[in-house]
Amino acid sequence: MSRRHRWNGYEIPKHFSSIPTMVTGFSNQSIEWIAQNGDGWIHYPRIILQQTQLI
């Protein structure tokens, strides 16, 4: 089985793992959902008291 494929005439190596997905903000999901379904979590900084309440 070849580990390469062609796209538009170019030979491109196949990847061996999935593309990482990053959850942004809370996306209306629980932290448990984010942990189970995402590879990372990006959120904007808040006042430290608000941040500790969210996490």
Side-chain angles (χ1 to χ4, degrees), residues 1-7 10-17:
M1 174 167 58
S2 173
R3 293 180 187 253
R4 297 178 180 273
H5 67 279
R6 291 203 171 272
W7 176 78
Y10 295 97
E11 190 173 295
I12 301 172
K14 290 185 180 178
H15 57 83
F16 292 97
S17 62

Side-chain angles (χ1 to χ4, degrees), residues 25-54:
F26 279 98
S27 305
N28 293 320
Q29 304 297 337
S30 68
I31 290 186
E32 291 78 19
W33 186 94
I34 293 170
Q36 291 173 354
N37 295 284
D39 296 308
W41 182 28
I42 301 171
H43 58 92
Y44 59 91
R46 301 172 188 255
I47 297 171
I48 195 70
L49 181 59
Q50 288 177 323
Q51 194 67 29
T52 56
Q53 291 170 345
L54 291 172

